[in-house]
Amino acid sequence: MTTLRHSPGMAGFTLIEAIMVIVITAVLGALVVSFVNPLKGYFDATRRADLGDVADTTLRRMARELHTALPNSVRVNGNFVEFLPTLSGGRYRAVQDCSAACTGDALIFTGPDTGFDVIGALSVAPVVGNEVVVYNLGIAGDDVYAGDNVASIAPGSTTGNVKFASKQFPFESPSNRFQIIGGPVTYACDVTTFWRYSGYARQPGQPTSISTLDGLAGVTKSRLATGVDCALSNITYTSGVTQRSGLIAMRLKMTNASGESVILQHQVHVDNVP
């Protein structure tokens, strides 16, 4: 009779040991899943937060500049919004001081003029290259884009006296107000990119294509955001009933590489009192 002998190297494992391995493996798997799922959720939330942050920053950047828009200078066409930022402003001297001898440089409207005193003082003297605007209504005969009520700042301007190229302004401001402006700014959404354009000269008609803006002399172009769905984003502008205020509504949809998207809406009130 043959007797089977088992060497230590040929030893197997018991049922209890197999069950313990299965249990331990299941516990480790559960631990991995419980760790991986929150981690995946964290990265998903981070991506969405980054996407929303870019959209929010873009809209707030636009809103901040639009708040400085010259009254009645906002022009919107599709996903193109153009405006003239005001750099400073104040009140001009409307009449001379004739309590003794007539003194003071008053702004006249009966003919061309070249300067006026500022009531109070500007914080910074106007610089050559900027322009002075008086009572822009944005209508025929009194439209800054047509050059009706705007004159180039001349050398010698100070915080207390604004000098400009000879100009007869069409209308007096009821409150004797004036604004100093720089060049126009355009925000434009093109396919998947939001752009900011500046540094170009005023145009009678609003530039409403990227190719037109790219071809303007002196233009500076900067990218604000990518991943924008311009087809589902829009900008609308509603003037107030009395033209004293306006509301710009902006809707921005952005999508990241993972296909996640976010839609933000923002409204900006602009002052249209010239």
Side-chain angles (χ1 to χ4, degrees):
M1 184 176 68
T2 304
T3 302
L4 295 176
R5 297 181 179 181
H6 299 281
S7 65
M10 297 176 59
F13 51 85
T14 66
L15 179 61
I16 295 177
E17 291 174 329
I19 293 174
M20 290 181 64
V21 169
I22 294 172
V23 171
I24 293 172
T25 302
V27 170
L28 291 176
L31 290 175
V32 170
V33 170
S34 65
F35 176 76
V36 170
N37 284 344
L39 188 64
K40 182 177 180 298
Y42 168 77
F43 285 119
D44 290 344
T46 300
R47 283 197 309 272
R48 289 191 291 270
D50 289 342
L51 191 63
D53 184 59
V54 172
D56 183 65
T57 300
T58 300
L59 291 177
R60 289 186 181 276
R61 167 69 183 276
M62 294 173 61
R64 186 169 61 249
E65 279 202 289
L66 284 165
H67 278 305
T68 71
L70 175 74
N72 304 303
S73 72
V74 176
R75 303 196 290 192
V76 173
N77 189 315
N79 284 336
F80 290 71
V81 55
E82 183 183 36
F83 60 99
L84 293 162
T86 56
L87 305 177
S88 64
R91 283 179 163 78
Y92 58 82
R93 181 185 293 277
V95 295
Q96 289 183 313
D97 181 6
C98 293
S99 55
C102 290
T103 59
D105 187 3
L107 178 59
I108 63 172
F109 293 85
T110 55
D113 202 351
T114 58
F116 56 80
D117 288 339
V118 179
I119 303 301
L122 298 172
S123 58
V124 179
V127 300
V128 176
N130 294 332
E131 297 176 302
V132 57
V133 181
V134 176
Y135 203 54
N136 179 55
L137 295 178
I139 60 176
D142 192 31
D143 183 10
V144 64
Y145 288 108
D148 299 325
N149 48 30
V150 59
S152 300
I153 298 295
S157 294
T158 66
T159 57
N161 184 265
V162 176
K163 297 187 181 300
F164 49 87
S166 180
K167 176 72 176 183
Q168 181 175 356
F169 292 95
F171 298 109
E172 298 183 48
S173 166
S175 53
N176 303 333
R177 293 177 62 185
F178 71 93
Q179 289 89 19
I180 304 295
I181 64 170
V185 171
T186 288
Y187 285 102
C189 195
D190 179 48
V191 188
T192 60
T193 307
F194 226 111
W195 300 97
R196 180 186 184 274
Y197 288 84
S198 62
Y200 61 95
R202 284 181 289 106
Q203 311 289 314
Q206 180 186 1
T208 56
S209 71
I210 295 297
S211 59
T212 299
L213 286 164
D214 287 338
L216 295 176
V219 71
T220 298
K221 178 181 182 180
S222 57
R223 182 170 48 233
L224 294 183
T226 57
V228 182
D229 189 341
C230 293
L232 296 177
S233 302
N234 60 71
I235 303 171
T236 60
Y237 175 55
T238 305
S239 297
V241 175
T242 61
Q243 299 296 316
R244 297 180 64 85
S245 64
L247 180 67
I248 301 172
M250 300 176 291
R251 181 180 187 271
L252 188 62
K253 180 179 180 180
M254 298 189 64
T255 305
N256 60 21
S258 301
E260 298 167 315
S261 62
V262 62
I263 297 176
L264 265 67
Q265 299 191 58
H266 200 86
Q267 293 181 333
V268 183
H269 288 275
V270 292
D271 183 11
N272 280 339
V273 180

